[in-house]
Amino acid sequence: MRNLWIFISKYNAFFLFLIFEVASLIIYVKNNSFQRAEFLNSANQVTGSIYAKVDQLCGYLSLKEVNDSLARENAHLRNTLKSAFYADTLTKHKVEDTVYKQQYEYIIARVINNSVNHSNNYLTINKGTKQGIIKGMGVICNKGIVGKVVFVSDHFALVQSLLHKDSQFSAMLANNKEIGSIGWSDDMDPHKGILKDVSNNAQPKLGEWVVTSGYSLFPEGVPIGKISSLHTKGGGYALNMEVTLSVDFSKLEYVNVVDNKFSKEQEALESQQKKDE
C-alpha cells in the first residue's frame, strides 16, 4: 500500500492531467450532438469487432463439441436409412405381411491415429469392445468406405484401411449392378483404387459411381468412388477399372463402425457349406 501511495505521489501530475483530459472529453462529447454520434458510432464498431473476435474464439474452442454432435446425428440418420433394414416378408401365394427389421447399426468413433503413406495402412479409433466393437466389422465415413476392424482392445480398435495391399471388398457398378472387388491401386496412390474382375459385358462408363454390393461387411450402396480409367485385364475375360476414391484418407476425423446384426448367423450358415464341400 505504501509503495502505491509513493507511486501516485510521484506521478500525481500525470494522473491529474489524465483525469482532466477524460473529464473534458466527456463534457465535449456530451454537449455536442455531432461528436456524441461519432463517438457512439466508433465505440460500437470497436465493441462489435471485439465481440466478433470473441465469438470466433468461442466457436473455435467449441468445434470438438460441434463435430461430436454432428457425428452422433449422422450415425442416427444412418440407423434410420432404408439400407440399414431388411424386409422380413411372409408369403402365401401373395405377400400378406412385410415387416422391416434393422440389420445394420452404426457406432460413432473418432480417428486418433492414421497413416496413408505406407504399403499397409491402418487407423486407430477411440472405441473398443466396451462400446460393442468386434473384429471383422466394417468401417465407413460420410464419404464412403474406410476399411475393417482387425484388432480390438477394451477402449480402442485398429482398422485395416482400404489403403492396404491385402484389403479387398465386394463392390459393384452403381448403374448396372455388375459385381467386382475393390482394392488399393498398385502405385499406392492414396486417392486411387482398382475395381477388379467385372464382367466383360458390363460396359462401364467414365465417371460412373462404384458402390458396395451388400455382399460383404457393408450395406448395399455405400459410395467407394468414381471410375477414372478403363482397361482390360490380361486374358480378356474380365475388366479392371481405376477408381478415384471418394474418401480422402488423410483428412479422416470421424467414422462409423458397421454392426451387421446378422453377420454371425450368415457366417455360421456359410461355414456349414464349407464343411460339406
Side-chain angles (χ1 to χ4, degrees):
M1 190 67 179
R2 180 173 174 274
N3 291 334
L4 178 62
W5 281 114
I6 293 173
F7 176 79
I8 293 174
S9 61
K10 185 176 180 180
Y11 296 99
N12 62 341
F14 170 76
F15 287 117
L16 284 173
F17 169 78
L18 190 63
I19 292 170
F20 289 142
E21 187 73 19
V22 171
S24 62
L25 182 62
I26 292 173
I27 294 170
Y28 177 72
V29 170
K30 188 175 181 180
N31 292 283
N32 292 274
S33 58
F34 177 77
Q35 283 76 10
R36 182 167 63 250
E38 286 294 314
F39 175 78
L40 291 175
N41 184 52
S42 300
N44 286 336
Q45 289 182 5
V46 172
T47 55
S49 178
I50 293 172
Y51 288 149
K53 295 297 182 183
V54 171
D55 182 66
Q56 288 178 1
L57 177 62
C58 293
Y60 177 79
L61 295 176
S62 65
L63 278 178
K64 183 180 182 302
E65 182 180 347
V66 172
N67 286 337
D68 288 343
S69 175
L70 289 173
R72 286 193 296 270
E73 183 177 352
N74 285 337
H76 173 72
L77 291 174
R78 284 189 184 278
N79 284 329
T80 60
L81 287 174
K82 188 176 180 180
S83 60
F85 294 78
Y86 86 104
D88 184 9
T89 58
L90 301 176
T91 307
K92 187 175 182 181
H93 302 297
K94 63 178 182 179
V95 176
E96 294 180 348
D97 186 27
T98 300
V99 179
Y100 283 93
K101 295 183 178 179
Q102 186 153 14
Q103 180 175 357
Y104 298 98
E105 286 187 356
Y106 300 90
I107 303 168
I108 311 163
R110 187 162 58 87
V111 177
I112 58 176
N113 194 20
N114 188 17
S115 68
V116 297
N117 54 4
H118 302 133
S119 59
N120 295 318
N121 292 290
Y122 297 88
L123 52 130
T124 307
I125 58 176
N126 67 340
K127 296 290 175 70
T129 54
K130 295 287 187 183
Q131 292 78 32
I133 309 294
I134 61 174
K135 182 179 178 180
M137 285 182 170
V139 181
I140 63 176
C141 68
N142 62 332
K143 297 283 188 179
I145 69 169
V146 173
K148 67 176 179 180
V149 176
V150 288
F151 298 107
V152 191
S153 64
D154 285 348
H155 301 100
F156 302 97
L158 192 68
V159 178
Q160 179 178 300
S161 169
L162 176 60
L163 308 183
H164 189 290
K165 65 181 181 64
D166 295 329
S167 289
Q168 292 288 332
F169 302 108
S170 181
M172 67 181 182
L173 299 171
N175 292 346
N176 58 21
K177 311 298 184 184
E178 289 286 350
I179 303 295
S181 64
I182 188 75
W184 195 16
S185 64
D186 295 333
D187 60 1
M188 295 193 298
D189 185 331
H191 303 290
K192 294 180 182 179
I194 297 292
L195 180 64
K196 301 178 180 179
D197 301 326
V198 177
S199 169
N200 237 345
N201 301 319
Q203 297 181 342
K205 297 178 177 61
L206 288 175
E208 182 176 350
W209 273 101
V210 176
V211 298
T212 54
S213 66
Y215 290 171
S216 57
L217 309 176
F218 313 99
E220 181 180 332
V222 178
I224 297 174
K226 291 182 178 181
I227 296 173
S228 56
S229 179
L230 302 169
H231 56 275
T232 305
K233 184 179 179 180
Y237 296 107
L239 296 175
N240 281 356
M241 283 156 275
E242 186 181 88
V243 176
T244 299
L245 301 176
S246 58
V247 174
D248 187 344
F249 285 83
S250 65
K251 296 180 180 179
L252 283 174
E253 293 186 65
Y254 289 86
V255 295
N256 288 320
V257 182
V258 182
D259 182 7
N260 183 351
K261 297 298 184 182
F262 302 147
S263 61
K264 291 183 179 179
E265 179 183 345
Q266 181 178 346
E267 289 170 4
L269 186 64
E270 291 174 352
S271 65
Q272 290 180 5
Q273 177 197 1
K274 291 178 181 178
K275 290 179 182 178
D276 292 339
E277 291 178 348

